[in-house]
């Protein structure tokens, strides 16, 4: 119990405190009412003391106040009622505005009597400050989200859109209000990884996740977006705020960059492979060049030697044939002479092969129908290869004619057949076939049409090393005395000189195929078709012959033959001398001149003579092919070495 002094002090304090203090009894009547509450309720203490609290504040009955007061009396519990959750008492501040307050309700007892104390606190200032702060915060927040370049969309756990910022307009093409209430799915392509990411973000309460997705603009087009997700909870509900950054342009630029990089890389690779290819081609070309230079110099050497031998053989053959005529009939001498002539003739065959390799053979180019030439050779070929080898020939009527020297072609085919025979000692088969080729480019020839003759055997074939050298002159695997190694050289030289080529393919144990590429005859060439030369017997006539040759031996041999044929001969050792003789000496019926001479060659001499004496027949004697092919027709022609019969027929022809 308080004494009087204390009562006085308590009364002063009771009225001085800055909170409202109200005590009510179990009947609900006001027992204490301090100054503060009297002021804000606008009711002085004397007016309310002893009165029912609910009569003073009738509206308080509709609040939670009666219930918590009853609890305080019945179970002695204390409660706090806050202004935010409860509409409380109609109190007013000094300015007359509503006074925001909280009420603490607690039981008190005095002298075995229970009371209930209501402590009413003014929270107007704190609440106002809080509101101002919140408004400021909100303003700051809006300033940020509305000026953000990315679209910000908040959804609930059912993906319903609750809130969007202004950027959805330019990022996704939607009006600000259009999206509210819609499902987020309208912004996504189907099967989008965002949906599982959202579910995961909610389930794991993830605060921050980032993901790249394909989204959909309002116009229906697709775009690429980097989206960051932030999960948050409020009022026991889950929300996710998504921030959408449009990266379509960047993705396109990246793709373009990637494409450009890929293109650059593939260009680089292509370039590298091209460089490699070129280098390889260059190496091959260099090897081929080296090979052809080697062959060229061997050819020149061979050609030079063969030419000199040819001249010597011409002398020997000429002299021998004259000897045979002049020496009286004697069996032994005549046998010896025949053997010498045969030997010289074999030598001539050899030099002609050498000349063929050196591409210096005198070619009589003519129109050759393979359908005729090959079957006509068959008997001879069979004879050459023997009975153990079967020959198959296939030349269809479509195969075009070729323009080559027929004799040389026959020789070439015989050479190939003999090679095949040597490769098939136990027998086998030899096939000669022909076909047209429209373009020679494949084998390094011009684009012109060609005809190919293939000669295939089923023989032992060649090793790589043999194949590489087979065309070289004097290369043979047949042992000394058995092969000259000139067969393929001759064929190769002949085809090259004819404007074609030879190709060999062969493997050990798999036989060999040799292909001859020969120039196809032009249609009008048919008119110039080879006529079989008919030996014509001319009545003997006496001719005055001007014989020009720088080689004294050859000249003497030829002069002897001419004399033997009943003609008179004047010899000149050079072109200049010949021209002088033509001016001073009695008229000549014919000029026979060597081609290869120092100073003025036979062709130049023939031309000079033709200018002055166009009617005078001229014969060019040559074992060479330096003579331009088209020019040789202007003059008569004699191939060295020649016999007196060859000479006689050349004279006849020239005088015709
Ligand atoms: N059909 C072939 N099958 C297997 N090897 C071949 C064939 N043709 C040529 N050869 C090889 O090429 C080499 C050269 O041939 P080439 O015809 O030039 O000379 P050869 O036949 O040896 O001598 P020759 O022709 O003077 O008798 C031969 O020795 C042989 O080794
Ligand atoms: Mg051979």
């Amino acid at each position: 119990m308080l004494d009087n002094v204390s009562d006085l002090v308590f009364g002063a304090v009771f009225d001085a405190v800055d909170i409202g203090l109200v005590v009510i009894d179990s009947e609900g009547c006001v027992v204490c009412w301090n100054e503060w509450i009297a002021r804000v309720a606008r009711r002085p203490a004397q007016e309310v003391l002893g009165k029912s609290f609910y009569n003073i504040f009738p509206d308080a009955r509709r609040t939670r106040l009666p219930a918590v007061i009853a609890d305080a009396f019945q179970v002695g519990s204390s409660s706090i009622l806050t202004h935010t959750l409860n509409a409380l008492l109609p109190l007013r501040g000094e300015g007359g505005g509503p006074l925001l307050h909280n009420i603490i309700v607690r039981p008190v007892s005095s002298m075995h009597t229970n009371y209930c104390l209501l402590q009413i606190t003014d929270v107007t200032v704190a609440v106002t400050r809080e509101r101002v702060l919140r408004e400021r915060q909100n303003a700051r927040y809006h300033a940020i989200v509305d000026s953000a370049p990315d679209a910000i969309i908040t959804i609930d756990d059912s993906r319903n859109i609750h809130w969007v910022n202004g950027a959805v307009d330019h990022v996704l093409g939607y009006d600000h209000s259009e999206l509210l209430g819609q499902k987020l799915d309208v912004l996504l392509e189907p099967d989008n990884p965002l949906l599982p990411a959202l579910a995961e973000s909610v389930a794991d309460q993830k605060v921050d996740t980032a993901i790249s997705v394909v989204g959909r603009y309002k116009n229906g087009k697709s775009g690429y977006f980097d989206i960051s997700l932030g999960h948050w909870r409020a009022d026991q509900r889950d929300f996710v705020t998504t921030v959408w950054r449009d990266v379509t342009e960047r993705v396109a630029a990246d793709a373009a960059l990637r494409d450009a990089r890929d293109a650059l890389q593939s260009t680089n690779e292509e370039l590298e492979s091209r460089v490699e290819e070129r280098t390889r081609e260059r190496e091959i070309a260099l090897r081929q060049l080296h090979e052809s230079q080697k062959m060229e110099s061997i050819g020149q050497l061979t050609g030079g030697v063969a030419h000199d031998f040819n001249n010597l053989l011409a002398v020997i053959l000429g002299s021998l044939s004259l000897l045979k005529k002049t020496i009286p009939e004697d069996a032994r001498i005549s046998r010896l002479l025949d053997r010498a002539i045969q030997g010289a003739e074999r030598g001539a065959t050899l030099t002609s092969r050498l000349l063929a390799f050196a591409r210096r053979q005198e070619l009589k180019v003519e129109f050759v129908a393979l359908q005729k030439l090959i079957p006509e050779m068959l008997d001879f070929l069979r004879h050459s290869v023997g009975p153990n080898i079967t020959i198959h020939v296939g030349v269809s009527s479509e195969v075009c004619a070729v323009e080559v020297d027929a004799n040389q072609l026959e020789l070439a085919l015989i050479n190939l057949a003999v090679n095949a025979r040597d490769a098939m000692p136990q027998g086998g088969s030899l096939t000669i076939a022909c076909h047209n080729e429209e373009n020679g480019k494949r084998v390094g020839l011009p684009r012109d049409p060609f005809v190919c003759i293939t000669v295939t055997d089923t023989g032992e074939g060649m090793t790589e090393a043999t194949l590489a050298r087979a065309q070289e002159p004097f290369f043979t695997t047949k042992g000394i005395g058995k092969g000259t190694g000139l067969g393929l050289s001759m064929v190769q030289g002949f085809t090259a000189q004819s404007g074609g080529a030879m190709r060999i393919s062969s493997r050990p144990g798999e036989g060999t195929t040799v292909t001859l590429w020969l120039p196809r005859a032009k249609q009008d060439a048919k008119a110039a078709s080879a006529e079989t030369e008919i030996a014509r017997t001319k009545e003997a006539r006496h001719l005055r012959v001007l014989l020009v040759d720088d080689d004294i031996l050859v000249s003497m041999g030829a002069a002897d033959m001419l004399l033997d044929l009943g003609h008179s001969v004047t010899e000149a050792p050079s072109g200049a001398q010949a021209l002088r003789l033509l001016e001073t000496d009695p008229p000549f019926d014919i000029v026979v001149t060597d081609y290869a001479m120092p100073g003025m060659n036979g062709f130049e001499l023939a031309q000079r003579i033709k200018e002055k004496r166009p009617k005078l027949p001229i014969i060019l004697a040559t074992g060479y092919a330096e003579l331009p092919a088209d020019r040789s027709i202007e003059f008569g022609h004699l191939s060295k070495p020649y016999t007196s019969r060859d000479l006689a027929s050349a004279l006849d022809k020239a005088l015709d």
Side-chain angles (χ1 to χ4, degrees):
M1 219 30 234
L2 295 170
D3 57 23
N4 280 346
V5 177
S6 299
D7 280 352
L8 281 174
V9 173
F10 175 75
V13 170
F14 188 72
D15 283 332
V17 288
D18 263 347
I19 59 171
L21 292 173
V22 177
V23 179
I24 48 180
D25 61 17
S26 57
E27 299 301 319
C29 292
V30 176
V31 183
C32 297
W33 185 265
N34 78 343
E35 264 306 307
W36 189 89
I37 187 71
R39 206 164 51 243
V40 300
R42 307 282 191 269
R43 304 286 292 269
Q46 56 273 28
E47 223 179 82
V48 297
L49 285 174
K51 290 209 176 132
S52 160
F53 183 77
Y54 299 112
N55 282 347
I56 302 164
F57 298 116
D59 288 345
R61 283 185 198 283
R62 289 196 292 276
T63 70
R64 287 185 63 228
L65 213 48
V68 297
I69 290 172
D71 280 352
F73 279 114
Q74 281 156 25
V75 292
S77 65
S78 298
S79 304
I80 178 161
L81 302 180
T82 60
H83 76 101
T84 42
L85 295 177
N86 305 279
L88 297 171
L89 307 175
L91 308 179
R92 301 191 164 275
E94 274 171 21
L99 187 134
L100 299 174
H101 54 278
N102 296 341
I103 303 175
I104 298 171
V105 181
R106 22 169 121 255
V108 287
S109 65
S110 175
M111 314 258 285
H112 307 293
T113 311
N114 291 332
Y115 299 96
C116 180
L117 170 66
L118 307 184
Q119 297 178 77
I120 301 149
T121 340
D122 179 1
V123 292
T124 312
V125 173
V127 167
T128 310
R129 192 188 303 126
E130 201 179 302
R131 193 187 312 126
V132 168
L133 270 179
R134 197 165 46 242
E135 276 170 6
R136 258 189 228 158
Q137 235 170 8
N138 279 352
R140 227 178 279 146
Y141 169 78
H142 279 293
I144 292 169
V145 295
D146 284 340
S147 64
D150 302 331
I152 303 174
I153 301 170
T154 298
I155 52 166
D156 61 19
D157 51 2
S158 306
R159 301 202 297 272
N160 292 318
I161 297 174
H162 276 240
W163 186 89
V164 297
N165 73 341
V168 288
D169 181 4
H170 71 261
V171 175
L172 292 158
Y174 281 95
D175 198 59
H176 178 259
S177 58
E178 256 177 307
L179 283 173
L180 296 177
Q182 295 218 53
K183 278 227 180 247
L184 187 70
D185 305 35
V186 297
L187 300 175
L188 298 170
E189 290 296 334
D191 297 331
N192 208 295
L194 182 62
L195 303 182
L198 280 171
E200 199 183 319
S201 173
V202 173
D204 301 352
Q205 309 269 297
K206 273 194 190 165
V207 180
D208 194 16
T209 316
I211 189 166
S212 297
V213 303
V214 180
R216 202 190 298 136
Y217 302 105
K218 188 182 174 185
N219 63 13
K221 288 190 180 159
S222 300
Y224 292 91
F225 296 89
D226 281 350
I227 298 183
S228 53
L229 313 175
H231 168 262
W232 49 279
R233 260 177 90 79
D235 288 344
Q236 296 175 340
R237 290 180 63 192
D238 289 301
F239 293 92
V240 178
T241 295
T242 58
V243 181
W244 296 55
R245 174 158 298 178
D246 189 341
V247 293
T248 310
E249 279 179 15
R250 195 193 71 202
V251 169
D254 282 353
L257 195 68
R258 218 169 25 248
D259 287 352
R261 214 179 288 139
D262 288 352
L264 193 69
Q265 192 175 343
S266 75
T267 314
N268 269 351
E269 280 167 8
E270 200 179 312
L271 209 65
E272 268 172 32
S273 82
R274 260 200 234 161
V275 169
E276 258 173 41
E277 199 179 313
R278 286 285 144 78
T279 315
R280 220 172 20 247
E281 279 172 6
R282 200 167 157 268
E283 276 168 11
I284 293 172
L286 274 176
R287 262 206 307 278
Q288 283 173 346
L289 180 69
H290 183 246
E291 189 64 19
S292 72
Q293 278 172 344
K294 187 177 88 184
M295 290 306 239
E296 192 59 41
S297 42
I298 297 176
Q300 268 170 12
L301 183 71
T302 319
V305 173
H307 171 249
D308 288 351
F309 262 90
N310 227 20
N311 281 345
L312 296 176
L313 287 169
V315 176
I316 295 169
L317 266 176
S319 305
L320 287 174
S321 55
L322 284 180
L323 253 184
K324 215 184 154 193
K325 278 188 185 173
T326 47
I327 279 180
E329 199 67 36
D330 177 324
R332 196 166 153 267
I333 292 180
S334 150
R335 209 168 46 245
L336 285 175
L337 271 178
D338 282 344
R339 228 180 275 161
I341 290 172
Q342 269 173 24
E345 274 171 354
R346 271 177 62 185
T349 316
L350 208 61
T351 53
S352 95
R353 276 178 144 196
L354 285 172
L355 285 171
F357 161 67
R359 301 175 208 170
R360 291 177 176 188
Q361 187 79 325
E362 195 57 48
L363 294 181
K364 273 193 238 137
V365 176
E366 54 192 329
F367 180 95
V368 177
L370 297 171
Q371 291 84 347
K372 189 160 175 281
L373 181 134
I374 295 175
E376 277 177 4
M377 285 181 70
L378 255 181
D379 271 352
F380 187 77
L381 286 178
R382 278 203 189 97
H383 184 74
S384 307
V385 299
N388 288 341
I389 293 170
T390 328
I391 302 182
H392 306 278
V393 170
V395 195
S396 74
S397 57
E398 281 87 60
V399 172
C400 300
V402 289
E403 258 185 292
V404 293
D405 182 318
N407 288 335
Q408 294 295 315
L409 175 58
E410 283 177 358
L411 257 181
L413 291 173
I414 291 164
N415 272 322
L416 296 178
V418 170
N419 279 352
R421 177 201 66 194
D422 293 346
M424 300 185 284
Q426 319 295 340
S429 78
L430 172 69
T431 308
I432 303 177
C434 303
H435 67 270
N436 294 329
E437 281 280 351
E438 297 311 318
N439 187 347
K441 222 167 167 252
R442 180 150 67 86
V443 288
L445 291 170
R447 282 176 173 278
D448 304 337
F450 285 84
V451 171
C452 284
I453 305 178
T454 55
V455 180
T456 307
D457 64 54
T458 55
E460 63 201 11
M462 289 183 235
T463 61
E464 230 173 85
T466 303
L467 183 60
R469 299 193 57 196
Q471 302 178 37
E472 277 181 27
F474 308 113
F475 174 81
T476 176
T477 56
K478 294 175 185 168
I480 300 164
K482 288 194 180 147
T484 62
L486 285 172
L488 288 177
S489 317
M490 175 267 152
V491 182
Q492 194 268 336
F494 155 67
T495 51
Q497 199 185 342
S498 307
M502 175 181 82
R503 291 287 179 273
I504 309 175
S505 71
S506 182
R507 278 204 184 165
E510 290 179 19
T512 301
T513 296
V514 181
T515 307
L516 308 185
W517 288 68
L518 300 173
R520 208 185 277 183
K522 291 168 198 78
Q523 281 310 305
D524 53 5
K526 202 162 187 172
S529 178
E531 296 147 19
T532 358
E533 224 173 277
I534 306 151
R536 285 161 294 166
T537 37
K538 285 262 166 186
E539 55 195 89
R541 53 181 157 180
H542 172 81
L543 300 170
R544 284 154 301 178
V545 184
L546 175 57
L547 179 67
V548 194
D549 201 312
D550 62 313
D551 188 320
I552 192 89
L553 267 176
V554 176
S555 186
M556 276 163 62
D560 285 348
M561 282 191 231
L562 287 166
L563 291 170
D564 182 59
L565 288 169
H567 309 302
S568 58
V569 187
T570 307
E571 290 176 64
S574 69
Q577 180 68 19
L579 288 173
R580 265 196 300 278
L581 284 171
L582 276 171
E583 294 300 322
T584 56
D585 276 39
F588 295 100
D589 299 311
I590 191 160
V591 180
V592 178
T593 174
D594 184 31
Y595 175 75
M597 293 187 295
M600 189 188 305
N601 69 27
F603 183 66
E604 285 161 355
L605 171 66
Q607 280 183 316
R608 295 276 292 273
I609 297 172
K610 205 178 165 203
E611 279 165 21
K612 290 188 176 163
R613 313 269 295 271
K615 294 230 170 89
L616 183 61
I618 305 164
I619 294 174
L620 282 168
T622 170
Y624 261 101
E626 296 101 331
L627 197 58
D630 52 333
R631 296 287 180 81
S632 58
I633 321 157
E634 292 175 42
F635 308 106
H637 179 247
L638 193 55
S639 276
K640 285 161 82 175
Y642 49 84
T643 60
S644 79
R645 233 183 68 198
D646 297 334
L647 182 57
S649 87
L651 290 173
D652 282 349
K653 228 173 150 185
L655 287 162
D656 261 357

